[in-house]
Amino acid sequence: MFGFPFSGPFGAFPQFMDEEMDQDFYEQFPQQEDVDNKELYEILEIPPQSDIATVKQAYKTLAKKYHPDRPGGNQQKFQLIQKANEVLSDPEKKKIYDKQGKQGLLRKLNVKNQQFKKCDPFKLEHKITLKDVYQGAYHKKTLTNVQRTCESCQGQGGQQPSNCKSCKGQKIVQMLVQVQPGLNVVQQAPCPDCKGKGQIFLKENECKQCKGAGRIDGEVEIEIPIEKGVPDEYCVKLYGKGNQKPGYENGDVYVYLQIEQHPQYIRKGTDLFYQKTISLKESLTGLNLELETLDDKIINVTTNQIIKPNSIMTVKEKGLPTFKDELHFGDLHIQFNIEFPTQLNQNIKNQIVEILPGPNSTMKNGNTYKLEEFQLGEFEKHLAKQEENEEDDPNQIGVECSIF
């Protein structure tokens, strides 16, 4: 709220600036002289003063119900839910709202008609499984080394600041910069002594915790929403959860999802590929296969067709859900490997000859040679010996090719 966009359980949503949204947001409710600290709770359909856990659960339920991409969704209602959650899920904003209402929150944050620069986003990679992609999930994660406003000095850096002597409180200085040999120009730059703040603290007045910086490295707990069907390397943006800096709008957290390889399934878009080895009997007489899907269910796959080696057969709509359209699914494709028997007795061979179509195995002349199984190891030894003999043959040195 108030210039801080927010990400719901379905990914990133557009940023709503204060001038465009806040006035419209509050004009939807009648103004009261008493402290107004109930309306945001009413939007989330929970009792006033509910704890943050209740707020988050109510937000997830209502966001799914009113998301504009879902059947029966409502864009206006969804935006109200987002803004109410943004205030009530933040401990500091919730505390102010509960005591002073929405007008007190506006005064405290001083955001009306004021624009802030935004901190750089905090970026990270996060691994998820293919099952997460199929089912959807929420992952909790603790971020370290996130810049937070120092609570000891409230981001001020210390007490009793004085004007910087280098820039005389102007925050910038004139610097002589060489742009090429023999040519120098004067440029303005942030003062290096006060780091563009215009004020400095004496050593004894500096905050002992942040040493005058106004910020410290801290930990942040985040919850990463993983939508069904999400593509690899998709960026989930968590607005306002990143770096903090006095005078700046909170930075965002960019989470890049990396999908780990599944031991059985291979993903191609919304389709899944699966390899299965079956017996020769199953390939000829029909197949009835039990298969565990990514939602931990067992499905029966059956066919009476003859299955050829390396052939691919398809089960419709048993792939992954479509991203942003989870009611539609891709297909599941199964590639079959046929496991042949290693040996058969003569009686079975005779029966197969009688049953299966095709020519009989009879000799037509005396020029008959017996087939043997190819031995890769023996072949490699034979090839290496040939190459060794060629290197040792003196007649091969300087031999020219014949021209025909």
Side-chain angles (χ1 to χ4, degrees):
M1 188 176 192
F2 315 114
F4 296 85
F6 184 81
S7 176
F10 300 91
F13 300 107
Q15 177 173 354
F16 303 102
M17 299 304 293
D18 299 319
E19 303 91 292
E20 300 172 350
M21 291 299 299
D22 288 339
Q23 191 62 36
D24 294 335
F25 174 67
Y26 288 119
E27 285 177 355
Q28 298 180 54
F29 307 100
Q31 298 298 315
Q32 302 175 359
E33 294 182 0
D34 298 334
V35 174
D36 179 11
N37 58 1
K38 297 180 181 179
E39 292 171 347
L40 297 185
Y41 290 99
E42 292 173 354
I43 292 173
L44 295 179
E45 301 177 4
I46 55 178
Q49 313 296 320
S50 295
D51 59 22
I52 291 180
T54 304
V55 169
K56 290 183 177 180
Q57 184 59 46
Y59 171 75
K60 290 178 184 178
T61 302
L62 295 176
K64 290 180 180 179
K65 180 179 179 181
Y66 293 105
H67 192 278
D69 292 341
R70 295 177 66 92
N74 185 309
Q75 177 72 36
Q76 184 179 18
K77 177 70 173 177
F78 183 72
Q79 291 174 0
L80 292 176
I81 294 168
Q82 278 187 278
K83 284 184 166 289
N85 176 74
E86 187 175 343
V87 172
L88 299 181
S89 63
D90 184 294
E92 182 179 354
K93 293 179 182 178
K94 183 178 185 299
K95 182 178 180 180
I96 298 172
Y97 179 79
D98 287 345
K99 290 184 177 181
Q100 304 177 30
K102 62 190 180 188
Q103 297 300 332
L105 185 62
L106 283 171
R107 291 192 299 269
K108 187 72 175 180
L109 297 181
N110 189 27
V111 295
K112 279 294 184 180
N113 302 320
Q114 183 176 358
Q115 294 295 317
F116 289 100
K117 294 181 180 179
K118 196 178 184 75
C119 293
D120 292 334
F122 185 96
K123 300 179 180 180
L124 71 148
E125 296 176 346
H126 181 68
K127 292 184 178 181
I128 62 175
T129 65
L130 197 58
K131 183 176 289 188
D132 292 329
V133 178
Y134 191 97
Q135 298 179 343
Y138 284 90
H139 287 186
K140 292 185 178 180
K141 192 177 183 70
T142 301
L143 305 182
T144 58
N145 298 325
V146 182
Q147 294 181 340
R148 315 306 292 166
T149 300
C150 178
E151 295 182 358
S152 178
C153 64
Q154 300 298 313
Q156 300 302 312
Q159 297 178 346
Q160 299 178 359
S162 58
N163 285 344
C164 174
K165 295 181 180 179
S166 299
C167 66
K168 296 179 174 57
Q170 299 302 310
K171 302 182 181 180
I172 57 175
V173 294
Q174 305 289 334
M175 300 185 67
L176 192 63
V177 180
Q178 185 182 39
V179 295
Q180 67 182 43
L183 179 60
N184 298 328
V185 297
V186 177
Q187 291 184 350
Q188 289 185 339
C191 177
D193 293 338
C194 64
K195 299 179 180 179
K197 296 180 180 179
Q199 294 182 324
I200 59 174
F201 296 95
L202 298 177
K203 198 67 177 178
E204 59 269 19
N205 294 332
E206 277 188 355
C207 174
K208 300 298 186 290
Q209 187 171 358
C210 66
K211 295 180 172 53
R215 295 184 293 172
I216 58 174
D217 289 340
E219 294 184 349
V220 177
E221 297 285 342
I222 62 171
E223 190 174 48
I224 305 170
I226 301 169
E227 300 182 60
K228 294 181 180 181
V230 65
D232 193 26
E233 298 294 337
Y234 181 76
C235 179
V236 177
K237 297 179 181 179
L238 305 178
Y239 293 103
K241 300 293 185 180
N243 296 317
Q244 295 179 345
K245 184 178 181 180
Y248 282 70
E249 184 180 337
N250 287 4
D252 305 326
V253 174
Y254 290 0
V255 184
Y256 295 90
L257 302 179
Q258 294 185 329
I259 303 173
E260 295 179 321
Q261 185 175 355
H262 194 274
Q264 294 176 312
Y265 290 101
I266 297 175
R267 178 187 188 178
K268 297 291 183 183
T270 58
D271 288 3
L272 293 174
F273 285 81
Y274 180 85
Q275 287 190 336
K276 179 65 178 177
T277 299
I278 62 175
S279 66
L280 178 61
K281 177 182 177 180
E282 290 174 308
S283 71
L284 295 174
T285 62
L287 175 69
N288 188 7
L289 173 67
E290 286 189 348
L291 190 64
E292 183 177 356
T293 58
L294 290 172
D295 57 352
D296 299 323
K297 294 181 180 179
I298 302 296
I299 62 172
N300 291 318
V301 178
T302 182
T303 181
N304 291 323
Q305 300 181 28
I306 293 177
I307 302 175
K308 299 178 181 180
N310 297 319
S311 63
I312 299 175
M313 305 188 78
T314 299
V315 183
K316 289 293 186 180
E317 296 186 352
K318 283 300 178 182
L320 292 174
T322 303
F323 187 49
K324 302 292 185 182
D325 185 14
E326 59 186 62
L327 298 179
H328 294 87
F329 289 77
D331 298 331
L332 170 61
H333 309 285
I334 306 176
Q335 183 177 30
F336 292 98
N337 299 317
I338 312 301
E339 185 177 31
F340 284 79
T342 57
Q343 58 183 0
L344 296 172
N345 61 48
Q346 191 59 45
N347 184 34
I348 294 179
K349 289 181 181 180
N350 293 337
Q351 295 180 37
I352 292 175
V353 170
E354 294 294 329
I355 296 172
L356 295 180
N360 293 328
S361 177
T362 56
M363 295 183 184
K364 296 183 179 181
N365 54 52
N367 297 325
T368 304
Y369 298 89
K370 184 178 180 180
L371 284 171
E372 297 182 5
E373 187 175 352
F374 175 72
Q375 302 291 337
L376 180 60
E378 294 297 327
F379 171 75
E380 291 178 341
K381 291 180 181 179
H382 175 68
L383 188 62
K385 188 174 182 181
Q386 281 186 330
E387 293 175 350
E388 182 180 349
N389 291 338
E390 290 177 358
E391 291 177 357
D392 294 339
D393 188 355
N395 295 326
Q396 295 293 327
I397 301 176
V399 176
E400 296 181 357
C401 296
S402 299
I403 300 176
F404 295 93

